[in-house]
Amino acid sequence: MTKPKIRPDARWARGTVFLKQAVSGLSAAFATQRLQLAAKAAVAAGVAFLIAPLMPGAAANYPYYAPLGALVAMYHNVAGSVKQGVQALAGLAMGIGLAFVLVNVTDPSPLAVALIMGIGVLLGGLPGIGKGSDWIPTAALLVLLVGGSNPDDFSFGYLLQMGVGVAVGIGVNFLIFPPLHFNAAAASLNDLRIALGKQLTDMGKALLEEWPPKHEDWSRRSDELSAAARSVRHLVKEADASRRANPRRKLHPRDVDLDYRNLRELERVTFHIQDITDVLSDVIYESDVPYGVPLQDNAPLADALKSAGDLLRSFSEDDPATQEEKLKEARTAVEACLAATAGRQPDQGMVPASESVLLSLHRILRAVRTAA
């Protein structure tokens, strides 16, 4: 088949992806979830500062560390708040202990500061310390430089007020609308299915157009689909984490294990669709590849791609009967294409890419069947 070879502008594609990511990031900054987190952080900080002067002894002289502790413990799920708060307190305790060792050995000096920073960063690499790693050198430095001649009182007040703040932060996150991220995970799975279905349909349309096709954006979506799959995995993990230690999980039950199974199958589907995208993009836009799609394969291959795309989109309708019907149609279209290409002798020096596309479609149908 004679056709001009034109590769889409990769820089334009990267620019489009960057713009979409920027808009998405701006939207996320003011999303409902973020606003709720900001409101709870404000409440926790205010309550912690209200309680701080009531602490015993010298701790009452350091009330400003309580709201800091509340902020440290504020996370977008309850389990994360507990983990982050405990790790921060562990890091503080280690940093204070490190500072006491150095205070008993030397006076504050550039050498002492350098030494305490180096040791603190090294200790931050200990396994399990997590978010507390940054607090080890920070606490040590504050005790060494701010504690002055009375490091005992400062250390006691610092650690107690931070502990109070952490407790308040965890309590506020637990009691005030503890978030469940189930809807975001479900929506992202559905959006990925729709995007994958559209990719298959668009590639089917491209096979029926005069080459090179007028619509070439499908050939630039491989990285975009990969990023979408990574985002879905992140959101499913967030949904899983949000149900831990969450009192609302019993009121809103969800089979997160099913979400993980669907995610794994969609990741497989994404891989195979990316492979089809690369094959067809090379066939259409590259002139030095040793494979191609015979002209007589275009129509049956387009039908198979479109049927598989319709199948993926049907899962958004939540109708098992429709999904089963679309699955049968997709199988029929793939089998018809297999029959049309079976036994055909390839052109001299040219490997038919139809077989690669059909193999990927067959694996997609197996994955979708498993997810169903």
Side-chain angles (χ1 to χ4, degrees), residues 121-339:
V121 171
L122 283 176
L123 291 175
L126 292 173
I129 197 66
K131 295 292 184 179
S133 61
D134 294 335
W135 288 99
I136 297 175
T138 300
L141 184 65
L142 287 174
V143 171
L144 184 66
L145 300 182
V146 180
S149 59
N150 195 7
D152 293 350
D153 287 347
F154 176 79
S155 299
F156 170 73
Y158 184 20
L159 188 58
L160 180 60
Q161 293 286 16
M162 286 289 289
V164 168
V166 166
V168 170
I170 293 172
V172 167
N173 210 11
F174 180 83
L175 296 172
I176 302 179
F177 199 74
L180 287 169
H181 303 308
F182 295 159
N183 291 338
S188 68
L189 285 165
N190 186 58
D191 290 345
L192 181 57
R193 287 191 187 98
I194 293 174
L196 293 172
K198 175 177 172 54
Q199 179 69 358
L200 288 170
T201 302
D202 286 352
M203 288 190 291
K205 291 178 180 177
L207 285 173
L208 298 178
E209 293 180 6
E210 182 180 353
W211 287 8
K214 295 180 181 179
H215 305 95
E216 59 187 27
D217 54 332
W218 61 268
S219 65
R220 297 189 291 259
R221 290 190 194 135
S222 188
D223 290 342
E224 188 176 330
L225 292 175
S226 181
R230 288 195 300 270
S231 176
V232 174
R233 173 163 285 277
H234 170 74
L235 290 172
V236 171
K237 285 184 176 180
E238 287 292 324
D240 187 16
S242 72
R243 63 177 178 161
R244 299 171 191 163
N246 194 320
R248 297 177 59 230
R249 62 179 296 183
K250 294 183 178 180
L251 299 176
H252 304 276
R254 182 174 180 83
D255 189 353
V256 178
D257 292 334
L258 177 61
D259 287 338
Y260 274 117
R261 290 197 298 271
N262 288 336
L263 169 65
R264 287 191 292 270
E265 301 306 335
L266 283 176
E267 286 176 334
R268 274 195 221 168
V269 171
T270 302
F271 172 80
H272 294 307
I273 290 179
Q274 286 178 302
D275 187 61
I276 295 174
T277 302
D278 291 341
V279 169
L280 292 183
S281 182
D282 285 345
V283 166
I284 295 174
Y285 297 107
E286 293 290 349
S287 57
D288 57 350
V289 292
Y291 50 85
V293 175
L295 181 60
Q296 59 268 38
D297 289 352
N298 281 13
L301 203 55
D303 288 341
L305 289 167
K306 181 179 181 301
S307 297
D310 291 342
L311 169 62
L312 288 174
R313 287 198 298 271
S314 71
F315 280 83
S316 64
E317 300 173 4
D318 198 23
D319 181 5
T322 300
Q323 295 164 14
E324 187 63 30
E325 179 184 351
K326 295 295 184 182
L327 179 58
K328 290 179 180 178
E329 291 177 0
R331 285 174 178 165
T332 300
V334 171
E335 289 171 0
C337 191
L338 281 169

Side-chain angles (χ1 to χ4, degrees), residues 16-41:
T16 301
V17 171
F18 175 79
L19 181 60
K20 288 182 178 179
Q21 290 175 342
V23 172
S24 176
L26 188 61
S27 300
F30 298 98
T32 302
Q33 175 186 330
R34 193 69 182 177
L35 293 175
Q36 289 176 348
L37 184 64
K40 289 197 290 186

